[in-house]
Amino acid sequence: MAQRRLIDRSRLERLPVIHQLRQSVGLQRGMLVAGLVLTGIFLLCALLAPWIAPYSYSQLSGADGANFGAQQPPSAAHPLGTTVGGYDVLSRVIWGAQTALMVVVVAIAMSVVLGIVLGLVSGYLGGWVDRVLVVVADAIYAFPTLLLAIVVAIAINNGQSGLWPGIMAAAASITVVFIPQYFRVVRAEVVRVKSEAFVESARVIGASTPRIMFRHVLRNSTRTLPLIVTLNASEAIATLAALGFLGFGIQPTVAAEWGFDLNKSISDVAAGIWWTAIPPGIAIVLTVLGITLIGESLNDLADPRLRARRRSKASQTPADAVAAHQPTAQEFMGEVQ
């Protein structure tokens, strides 16, 4: 029984985030914990929005049939007030987390799949295929991120649409921007891995090219992708908010979107009505900050030199710390320095 508990505990400690959390110390652990807390709040709001939001994202009246009213200040019925369109601000912020999560998941999934496949084919086959894909990826990467996302959003569905068409349009806009990043990382790893001895051995025993690519090369070329996914998730939320702010997002009657609500509150700020702009703005900042902290912390922990340096500092005794700041005694030409 005790042995089984030890095995379960060792398996739990090997989970990605828990393993990195145990490796981190000091400020690095604080950053990782803060990122996990902020991201956890975002995920809970997104997954539990139908149960924790006071009202629906498009609800304009209460159970008694009375309208909420536009630009109403915070009150017991509306803790964060109402928007210029008469929606409850708190409900729109909570439902906006669900919209952001759906767009991020779809965009990251499509980017990872397409980027991995293209990078694998380009790096392993080489030749003219590699040259063409590299040129196309560099051309896409040269465009400004937001401008490219706007162009794709307009081309897909004129910039505005319903819930799932709008989510797919926003996700596709973000996907086009992210594919070159995954393509570059996977291609570089594939070029390195395909010259390893185990790949040559697979060729010698007669393994087919698809089998070598997907079974031997691919599984050894995607170790750094989780770090890129976390960093791109925060960028995807910022891009989605920018699209909504510029009017190329999702219609407010089919979903709540932080960027759209922030755009509609511009005139309110000039009139001294703060409650329509600050909540969605804070939601964007905290969500992007939380995911970015996780990505940066995991990126630092993936560097063995930084990890070893932090471990040595964490395990240093007070005597070692004093000795480290004392001049080193060396005999050189009869003198002690």
Side-chain angles (χ1 to χ4, degrees):
M1 189 68 178
Q3 185 178 3
R4 182 179 297 178
R5 290 179 179 176
L6 290 176
I7 294 175
D8 294 339
R9 183 177 179 181
S10 63
R11 290 178 179 175
L12 182 64
E13 292 175 352
R14 284 198 298 267
L15 293 175
V17 177
I18 296 179
H19 179 64
Q20 273 81 13
L21 188 60
R22 289 177 57 85
Q23 285 183 325
S24 61
V25 294
L27 179 62
Q28 194 66 50
R29 175 171 291 184
M31 292 173 57
L32 183 56
V33 170
L36 290 173
V37 170
L38 293 175
T39 305
I41 294 174
F42 164 69
L43 292 176
L44 287 177
C45 290
L47 298 175
L48 303 178
W51 295 277
I52 63 177
Y55 308 99
S56 174
Y57 54 82
S58 59
Q59 188 171 347
L60 295 173
S61 59
D64 56 356
N67 290 334
F68 295 151
Q71 301 172 323
Q72 295 298 313
S75 61
H78 306 284
L80 297 180
T82 60
T83 67
V84 65
Y87 304 110
D88 181 68
V89 174
L90 178 60
S91 301
R92 295 280 299 181
V93 170
I94 295 175
W95 282 99
Q98 187 179 82
T99 305
L101 179 62
M102 289 189 291
V103 171
V104 169
V105 169
V106 175
I108 295 297
M110 292 192 299
S111 302
V112 169
V113 172
L114 295 175
I116 287 177
V117 172
L118 294 177
L120 181 61
V121 171
S122 177
Y124 189 81
L125 297 182
W128 66 269
V129 175
D130 181 40
R131 290 193 294 270
V132 170
L133 291 177
V134 168
V135 170
V136 173
D138 290 343
I140 295 176
Y141 204 74
F143 280 93
T145 301
L146 183 57
L147 178 61
L148 184 60
I150 292 173
V151 171
V152 175
I154 295 175
I156 291 177
N157 210 356
N158 294 327
Q160 291 188 355
S161 58
L163 178 58
W164 279 108
I167 289 175
M168 295 303 298
S173 306
I174 299 170
T175 298
V176 173
V177 175
F178 286 167
I179 285 178
Q181 301 180 24
Y182 295 100
F183 169 81
R184 285 183 168 188
V185 173
V186 174
R187 177 187 174 275
E189 288 293 318
V190 169
V191 171
R192 180 186 62 84
V193 171
K194 74 175 184 179
S195 60
E196 296 289 341
F198 66 89
V199 177
E200 296 293 337
S201 301
R203 292 197 189 101
V204 170
I205 64 176
S208 62
T209 299
R211 179 179 177 86
I212 296 175
M213 290 174 59
F214 290 96
R215 183 173 180 84
H216 300 287
V217 178
L218 178 60
R219 67 192 305 177
N220 292 282
S221 304
T222 57
R223 290 175 297 177
T224 58
L225 289 186
L227 305 178
I228 304 176
V229 167
T230 55
L231 295 175
N232 281 352
S234 61
E235 187 177 350
I237 292 178
T239 304
L240 174 65
L243 288 174
F245 183 81
L246 296 175
F248 300 102
I250 303 170
Q251 294 287 354
T253 56
V254 297
E257 204 278 305
W258 294 331
F260 179 87
D261 292 344
L262 200 59
N263 173 270
K264 294 302 180 182
S265 63
I266 294 177
S267 59
D268 295 344
V269 175
I273 302 175
W274 55 267
W275 56 85
T276 58
I278 290 181
I282 291 179
I284 296 172
V285 171
L286 293 182
T287 303
V288 172
L289 176 63
I291 301 176
T292 302
L293 286 176
I294 294 178
E296 292 294 341
S297 300
L298 295 180
N299 190 28
D300 290 345
L301 291 172
D303 190 337
R305 294 172 300 177
L306 295 176
R307 188 166 61 246
R309 190 181 306 167
R310 282 191 298 271
R311 283 181 175 177
S312 63
K313 290 182 179 180
S315 59
Q316 197 176 45
T317 62
D320 295 334
V322 173
H325 290 83
Q326 295 296 328
T328 303
Q330 294 180 347
E331 295 185 2
F332 181 71
M333 296 182 64
E335 296 180 356
V336 178
Q337 295 180 347

